[in-house]
Amino acid sequence: MKLTVYDSSLLQALLTCLILKSQAAVVEDFNHVDRCKDFLYMGTPPRAYLSSSLKKICQQYMDKPRFISFYDPQKHIPIYSAYTFEKSDGDKRGDVPWMFEPQLATEKGSSNMEPFPQSSLMHKNFEDTQAVLDDYADVIQYERGQLNPDEHQADPMDKAATYTLTNVIPLIREFSFGPWSTQVELIRRRLNNYCHGKAYVITGVTTSGNMIRRDNLDRVAIPEYIWTAYCCTDFDHNAPYSERYKLPVFGAYGLNDRVNNHIVEVPIKNLEKFLKGKMDVDKSFQIFYSDCVPDS
């Protein structure tokens, strides 16, 4: 069958529309979007979150998906970020401007994260749906904590992409620079040394109602706990037992506070049990598909 010029134009328009939709940063389903699902073990996100207001963001930088975030546009923080670990030397970039997600503000926004405009007046165009730099400007007791940390990436562009506020939660300074920083480095070394294949990491939070306020308004939720878990099915079976029993999958959590903020490392089932009592999830809550147990 021969297509007319009109039919060809219509077909081209439909294909363009589908391509643009598949590249959209705010997506309907992580595991239905090409390449976004690559950041998830078996292409499957954590299941059983009950809130219907959370947004799925395929975090795209320079026209390439870099990781994903499950975002709360009301509390202005990510509930979790999921990424693939890259063996690295642990250095941070530090030369990247903080960015925001245009498509949270408007469906016509860019599918790429973008640097914040210089004028804080421009921030009002998107501060309803996400945190802005002013929210963190005068809160010296908190640090901008990355759920996908710069130190767990190696490619310069992947590292740069972690500097978006849709990947950031407020961490108490003493916790951020102490136990949490130590845990990020511990995981980096463990996966660097003993994970032979791809390692999937998911890091998330629980919230308690406490908020950073600005201009007498609740702006950014302060997590009560931060948690993390990794899955690496291809690992070194000759690793020291102290490390080997924490593979292929293990988790950890810590209280986001000045005191009693030590990190607790736990098996994945224990972490899931702990989180069921702290988050709006049902009893089928699961972080990794089949708890990172490969199909036999």
Side-chain angles (χ1 to χ4, degrees), residues 61-287:
Y61 180 64
M62 296 293 185
D63 297 319
K64 179 182 176 183
R66 307 288 173 169
F67 64 102
I68 63 174
S69 295
F70 202 32
Y71 195 80
D72 190 330
Q74 297 170 340
K75 295 183 176 180
H76 299 155
I77 59 168
I79 299 303
Y80 68 73
S81 287
Y83 59 96
T84 49
F85 173 84
E86 298 174 6
K87 293 188 177 185
S88 72
D89 56 14
D91 287 344
K92 296 174 73 72
R93 278 201 62 163
D95 60 345
V96 181
W98 286 100
M99 293 177 278
F100 73 104
E101 177 52 67
Q103 283 206 350
L104 278 176
T106 169
E107 290 183 1
K108 295 180 181 179
S110 169
S111 59
N112 284 302
M113 58 182 75
E114 294 180 357
F116 278 97
Q118 292 296 313
S119 169
S120 61
L121 289 176
M122 288 290 291
H123 299 181
K124 295 187 183 300
N125 295 334
F126 40 80
E127 66 179 9
D128 284 349
T129 56
Q130 56 199 291
V132 296
L133 293 176
D134 283 350
D135 294 324
Y136 287 92
D138 299 315
V139 286
I140 58 173
Q141 68 268 47
Y142 298 106
E143 288 294 313
R144 286 171 277 202
Q146 298 169 310
L147 295 189
N148 172 9
D150 179 355
E151 302 96 312
H152 283 189
Q153 302 298 327
D155 179 271
M157 295 297 99
D158 290 341
K159 292 172 81 70
T162 65
Y163 288 88
T164 168
L165 289 194
T166 51
N167 178 46
V168 161
I169 45 97
L171 287 181
I172 294 284
R173 284 180 63 88
E174 290 84 347
F175 177 63
S176 177
F177 291 128
W180 184 246
S181 177
T182 300
Q183 184 66 22
V184 168
E185 175 63 9
L186 183 152
I187 293 174
R188 185 189 72 82
R189 289 180 178 273
R190 181 178 296 155
L191 296 179
N192 263 6
N193 293 334
Y194 305 116
C195 179
H196 294 326
K198 184 176 286 189
Y200 302 88
V201 186
I202 300 177
T203 300
V205 300
T206 73
T207 58
S208 63
N210 295 325
M211 304 284 290
I212 289 176
R213 291 176 61 83
R214 178 168 59 85
D215 299 332
N216 295 316
L217 295 173
D218 287 342
R219 284 296 304 159
V220 183
I222 302 167
E224 181 182 17
Y225 287 90
I226 184 168
W227 58 269
T228 187
Y230 58 79
C231 165
C232 171
T233 57
D234 181 9
F235 63 94
D236 183 358
H237 290 265
N238 294 316
Y241 178 74
S242 60
E243 297 295 313
R244 190 171 71 250
Y245 86 91
K246 296 176 182 176
L247 292 161
V249 60
F250 221 65
Y253 64 88
L255 182 66
N256 183 26
D257 199 7
R258 291 181 177 82
V259 295
N260 299 322
N261 56 13
H262 61 283
I263 299 291
V264 181
E265 284 204 292
V266 290
I268 195 72
K269 285 288 190 185
N270 296 42
L271 178 60
E272 290 168 347
K273 182 178 180 180
F274 174 79
L275 294 176
K276 286 175 188 176
K278 298 289 183 181
M279 302 193 309
D280 189 19
V281 296
D282 69 27
K283 61 183 180 181
S284 67
F285 174 68
Q286 190 174 62
I287 296 172

